[in-house]
Amino acid sequence: MPPPSDIVKVAVEWPGANAQLLEIDQKRPLASIIKESILYLVIAVTSSVKCLHLSCFFLSVDISKNAADTDGTQSPVCNGIIPPSQSRAARQLMERIQSHSMEVRLDAMKELAKLSADVTFATEFINMEGITVLTRLVESGTKLLYSEMLAFTLTAFLELMDHGIVSWDMVSITFIKQIAGYVSQPMVDVSILQRSLAILESMITVGQLISHLQVSNQEIQTYAIALINALFLKAPEDKRQEMANSFAQKHLRSIILNHVIRGNRPIKTEMAHQLYVLQVLTFNLLEERMMTKMDPNDQAQRDIIFELRRIAFDAESDSNTIPGSGTEKRKAMYTKDYKMLGFTNHINPAMDFTQTPPGMLALDNMLYLAKFHQDTYIRIVLENSSREDKHECPFGRSAIELTRMLCEILQVGELRRNDYHPMFFTHDRAFEELFAICIQLLNKTWKEMRATAEDFNKVMQVVREQITRALPSKPNSLDQFKSKLRSLSYSEILRLRQSERMSQDDFQSPPIVELREKIQPEILELIKQQRLNRLCEGSSFRKIGNRRRQGEVTLCTASLHGSWQSDLSVATNIKAIVTGKDCPHMKEKSALKQNKEVLELAFSILYDPDETLNFIAPNKYEYCIWIDGLNALLGKDMLSDLTRNDLDTLLSMEIKLRLLDLENIQIPDAPPPIPKEPSSYDFVYHYG
């Protein structure tokens, strides 16, 4: 005969003794049940009872051990009947957790963490402002961080809040920041981390986060996004997509775009970092598909390829409706279509997606393009299928390689320090939209390069460079990014490459420096010959004498044998050259010495025994020509500004000419290793 429904069997445990199975009548008052249970246990354990005060005991419910039936204890609490023992226990623990003794406080926290699971005790403790005391202890952070006490404090807080007696809205921003800080700490204790995450998960709703993002205080917005990032990072991988879907349903991305990125305030460093982390975490949701190989035997996956073929070639009909289209004929037609789609494996294109990365992510991108940018997809496929075989851009192969490239550029699956890009917050499917833009860029660049199948890797290198050059400008929208890519045509990339190759930084690379040092003596000799030839041609100089002859000029030339000819009838060997105010005629003529322009153009030639030829050049160019030429005759360096400019110009031109054959070739910093000698020279032939 079954027991009455009001009678339940409950295991009651006395500390240090085995649990006793008691029958409890739920109709009886809770106080009498507790008294009778305690009396039974005391008799069973000690065999004697001298005094029994109900206020010294209370019934603690341990749900984790299923040691007592919670219905028997919760009902009186709901009716407002709280045994006096609970009040006394809560009051004692409240005093102990605020003790100055750390040992007493630790023991109290341990006991509180255990008792807080009981709703009766929790109600009494919360009524004594126990939640407020615990939150203040956590907010202060003193003597609690990274300690055993903090773990018990958070456990007790979580247990008390889980009863639903008080709302999570009463938690302060300071408390949230402190808990979020524990989550972001790399070396935090596991128990603290687990409880901190549990608190944040219980506390946060999408609606609350959205409200915090819509405020004008950027610091609050930063903490809200940091909290999202922390939850993403610590959540199990199988739960991250669910979280992303939940945020998408509440339009979190558009709220961040409108209230944070496009707000009236500049983005601070910490906010920019949190936005980048959120961007990376969002892209990292693609990692699973990126690392998933296609199963050639999976019909659902093969159907995606069939759909790509159908959209491209027969959107209005199906091959099964063609009269007399047998299996072999249909297979041949599919093979032809897959070749036109640009797959490497025409027979079984599923094999093209077995390499990871990009795995199934490439197929997802292709399907997205075919469905949401159908006109673009059909135009690219048909345009390439109508070209000559050697000039067609294989769409399938290009899409797979482009997806891999985008994953590398955006570092999908990684978390590194970098910048966020506002354009990725303008669309819920930002990665797929980026692919749609870049596949059009690839097709355009292919035509500009007049590429063939052999040039596939070269085209991909150019496309990578176009994308990586456009990203640093941080376009505010995908349309702006598309416009930036349009300006980076193939001819523009070539121009930028040439310019950068000749930049100062490139000239400092070891191979270029070595080439420059090798060429420089030849260029200097060329400049020297030009200077000497100009001296032989001669120049006109103003005469220096009395006032009535100041307008006259004299022609001075150099002979090929090193002697000098002028209307001064001087022919001798040069001993030295003096310039500026040190010239003898400058010292004699005080009026000339005061003329700064004349000083800059004056020079004198000293020759045996103590004679001079004095000159004032007509302009700076002639002055530099003669000073360089005379220094060259004396075996000295040519140090004029004209020589320096000529040397730089001629060196640059010569290096450019010698590097023309190295277009699209990366110059290594070190020479390649010398190969080992062959074991035999039998392959050498001499032709007589």
Side-chain angles (χ1 to χ4, degrees):
M1 181 178 179
S5 59
D6 295 331
I7 304 297
V8 295
K9 292 186 177 182
V10 180
V12 183
E13 184 179 5
W14 180 273
N18 295 329
Q20 303 293 323
L21 191 63
L22 305 179
E23 289 187 354
I24 295 179
D25 186 354
Q26 299 182 70
K27 293 181 179 180
R28 296 175 57 195
L30 179 62
S32 63
I33 294 176
I34 295 176
K35 182 175 181 179
E36 183 177 316
S37 301
I38 293 173
L39 178 61
Y40 177 84
L41 288 173
V42 170
I43 295 175
V45 175
T46 64
S47 300
S48 63
V49 179
K50 295 182 179 179
C51 179
L52 180 62
H53 294 284
L54 181 61
S55 62
C56 298
F57 302 93
F58 65 91
L59 185 63
S60 174
V61 181
D62 189 346
I63 300 176
S64 62
K65 295 183 179 180
N66 294 324
D69 181 69
T70 57
D71 292 340
T73 58
Q74 288 178 348
S75 179
V77 174
C78 294
N79 294 330
I81 304 173
I82 303 177
S85 54
Q86 303 285 41
S87 176
R88 178 175 178 176
R91 192 180 309 108
Q92 290 177 348
L93 280 177
M94 181 70 74
E95 295 173 357
R96 290 166 60 195
I97 62 176
Q98 300 179 80
S99 171
H100 295 293
S101 172
M102 295 302 296
E103 185 176 353
V104 172
R105 184 181 292 183
L106 177 60
D107 291 338
M109 285 297 183
K110 289 181 179 179
E111 188 173 347
L112 178 62
K114 185 181 298 184
L115 295 177
S116 295
D118 182 69
V119 67
T120 306
F121 171 83
T123 302
E124 184 65 18
F125 187 79
I126 291 172
N127 289 338
M128 295 180 181
E129 302 297 330
I131 292 289
T132 304
V133 173
L134 294 181
T135 54
R136 286 175 181 172
L137 289 173
V138 173
E139 290 171 2
S140 66
T142 57
K143 300 181 181 180
L144 284 175
L145 283 174
Y146 312 124
S147 67
E148 185 181 11
M149 186 183 300
L150 177 59
F152 286 116
T153 303
L154 297 180
T155 301
F157 177 83
L158 187 60
E159 293 286 358
L160 292 170
M161 295 300 293
D162 281 349
H163 292 300
I165 299 172
V166 293
S167 171
W168 285 96
D169 294 337
M170 56 83 61
V171 179
S172 66
I173 295 295
T174 305
F175 180 85
I176 296 174
K177 290 165 61 175
Q178 193 70 32
I179 296 298
Y182 299 147
V183 173
S184 61
Q185 291 290 339
M187 301 300 293
V188 71
D189 184 80
V190 175
S191 58
I192 296 175
L193 177 61
Q194 291 175 339
R195 286 155 181 79
S196 297
L197 287 171
I199 291 172
L200 293 177
E201 186 177 3
S202 300
M203 182 190 315
I204 297 171
T205 65
V206 177
Q208 290 173 326
L209 281 174
I210 289 177
S211 64
H212 290 315
L213 289 172
Q214 291 173 321
V215 300
S216 59
N217 189 320
Q218 190 173 118
E219 184 177 359
I220 295 177
Q221 293 175 326
T222 302
Y223 282 119
I225 296 178
L227 199 52
I228 296 173
N229 294 336
L231 292 174
F232 259 118
L233 281 169
K234 304 301 181 181
E237 292 186 4
D238 57 339
K239 297 292 184 181
R240 292 183 183 180
Q241 188 61 56
E242 295 181 11
M243 292 179 61
N245 295 338
S246 175
F247 287 133
Q249 291 174 0
K250 298 296 182 179
H251 309 290
L252 178 65
R253 176 198 55 77
S254 60
I255 290 174
I256 292 177
L257 177 67
N258 296 325
H259 293 273
V260 178
I261 297 176
R262 294 179 178 174
N264 297 324
R265 302 168 305 281
I267 300 296
K268 297 181 180 179
T269 304
E270 181 59 27
M271 172 62 83
H273 171 65
Q274 295 299 336
L275 288 173
Y276 170 73
V277 173
L278 180 60
Q279 168 188 301
V280 171
L281 291 173
T282 303
F283 282 147
N284 284 358
L285 296 174
L286 305 170
E287 183 181 9
E288 181 181 356
R289 295 293 286 175
M290 181 183 74
M291 301 306 296
T292 300
K293 296 181 180 181
M294 184 172 184
D295 182 3
N297 299 318
D298 190 324
Q299 187 59 42
Q301 296 179 2
R302 292 170 62 88
D303 287 343
I304 299 177
I305 299 178
F306 294 154
E307 181 69 6
L308 292 175
R309 191 205 67 81
R310 185 194 66 79
I311 295 175
F313 300 117
D314 54 5
E316 300 298 328
S317 62
D318 190 280
S319 62
N320 293 327
T321 63
I322 301 175
S325 58
T327 304
E328 294 299 326
K329 186 175 181 180
R330 190 183 308 118
K331 186 181 296 185
M333 183 181 62
Y334 279 12
T335 300
K336 179 183 177 182
D337 290 346
Y338 292 147
K339 181 180 180 181
M340 294 173 65
L341 278 171
F343 289 112
T344 303
N345 192 319
H346 308 152
I347 306 300
N348 186 7
M351 300 301 297
D352 288 9
F353 301 95
T354 56
Q355 184 178 358
T356 58
M360 290 295 293
L361 184 59
L363 187 59
D364 294 342
N365 284 339
M366 295 167 69
L367 183 62
Y368 180 87
L369 179 71
K371 285 190 172 182
F372 296 95
H373 299 275
Q374 190 170 119
D375 292 342
T376 300
Y377 168 70
I378 295 175
R379 175 178 57 80
I380 291 176
V381 173
L382 297 183
E383 185 178 281
N384 285 286
S385 62
S386 62
R387 295 178 187 167
E388 298 179 25
D389 286 347
K390 65 177 183 178
H391 286 291
E392 66 179 8
C393 177
F395 170 75
R397 183 184 177 190
S398 300
I400 293 171
E401 188 60 32
L402 179 61
T403 302
R404 180 188 293 108
M405 180 193 299
L406 293 177
C407 290
E408 292 174 357
I409 293 174
L410 299 177
Q411 300 171 348
V412 175
E414 304 176 17
L415 185 60
R416 298 181 183 176
R417 186 71 173 93
N418 210 322
D419 293 329
Y420 83 99
H421 294 277
M423 67 177 182
F424 292 139
F425 290 88
T426 62
H427 202 283
D428 290 328
R429 304 286 294 274
F431 187 83
E432 290 85 346
E433 286 294 318
L434 180 67
F435 170 84
I437 293 173
C438 292
I439 195 67
Q440 297 178 68
L441 169 71
L442 193 155
N443 191 58
K444 172 176 171 287
T445 303
W446 185 281
K447 290 187 289 186
E448 292 175 347
M449 295 178 65
R450 298 179 181 177
T452 62
E454 290 76 14
D455 300 320
F456 183 84
N457 291 331
K458 289 183 179 180
V459 175
M460 297 307 299
Q461 290 175 5
V462 174
V463 171
R464 174 186 284 271
E465 187 170 346
Q466 290 170 317
I467 296 172
T468 53
R469 285 182 182 274
L471 282 176
S473 64
K474 300 181 71 172
N476 291 322
S477 67
L478 290 166
D479 287 337
Q480 289 185 13
F481 179 69
K482 190 173 183 178
S483 299
K484 181 66 176 178
L485 289 177
R486 195 178 295 116
S487 67
L488 290 170
S489 61
Y490 176 58
S491 58
E492 178 66 11
I493 292 296
L494 290 181
R495 189 191 67 79
L496 292 172
R497 285 178 176 179
Q498 184 71 11
S499 175
E500 292 171 0
R501 185 182 291 122
M502 294 299 105
S503 67
Q504 189 63 26
D505 291 340
D506 205 18
F507 275 168
Q508 298 306 316
S509 63
I512 302 300
V513 170
E514 184 179 349
L515 178 61
R516 185 186 182 96
E517 292 174 352
K518 182 178 180 180
I519 297 174
Q520 184 165 321
E522 303 174 13
I523 302 298
L524 285 172
E525 183 63 27
L526 182 65
I527 295 173
K528 175 183 175 181
Q529 291 300 322
Q530 189 269 343
R531 300 295 191 261
L532 294 177
N533 290 337
R534 285 286 287 108
L535 264 60
C536 292
E537 292 176 5
S539 299
S540 298
F541 297 92
R542 285 185 292 170
K543 282 189 176 182
I544 302 173
N546 54 38
R547 292 186 177 180
R548 66 184 180 85
R549 300 180 59 188
Q550 289 235 340
E552 299 181 9
V553 296
T554 181
L555 177 65
C556 186
T557 63
S559 72
L560 296 175
H561 303 290
S563 61
W564 293 86
Q565 300 173 358
S566 73
D567 61 355
L568 300 176
S569 302
V570 175
T572 184
N573 294 325
I574 302 173
K575 295 300 181 182
I577 301 173
V578 181
T579 62
K581 65 181 180 180
D582 295 328
C583 297
H585 57 298
M586 291 294 105
K587 295 179 180 179
E588 296 173 359
K589 307 288 183 179
S590 58
L592 292 175
K593 188 176 181 180
Q594 294 176 359
N595 191 325
K596 185 177 180 181
E597 181 181 352
V598 172
L599 283 176
E600 292 178 348
L601 301 177
F603 65 94
S604 297
I605 300 174
L606 306 181
Y607 61 95
D608 272 344
D610 291 318
E611 300 294 332
T612 64
L613 283 175
N614 302 316
F615 300 90
I616 297 179
N619 51 56
K620 189 68 174 178
Y621 175 79
E622 291 294 338
Y623 173 84
C624 291
I625 289 289
W626 279 80
I627 293 299
D628 288 338
L630 295 173
N631 279 325
L633 288 174
L634 292 173
K636 296 181 179 180
D637 293 335
M638 298 178 293
L639 302 176
S640 71
D641 293 339
L642 181 62
T643 295
R644 190 160 47 250
N645 292 335
D646 287 348
L647 179 62
D648 289 342
T649 300
L650 293 173
L651 269 177
S652 177
M653 292 175 61
E654 184 65 21
I655 291 176
K656 289 179 180 180
L657 288 172
R658 298 197 181 194
L659 295 179
L660 281 178
D661 293 336
L662 297 179
E663 182 181 334
N664 295 332
I665 297 177
Q666 185 69 30
I667 301 176
D669 291 335
I674 300 176
K676 296 180 180 180
E677 290 190 19
S679 58
S680 169
Y681 287 88
D682 293 341
F683 58 88
V684 178
Y685 297 94
H686 297 281
Y687 297 95

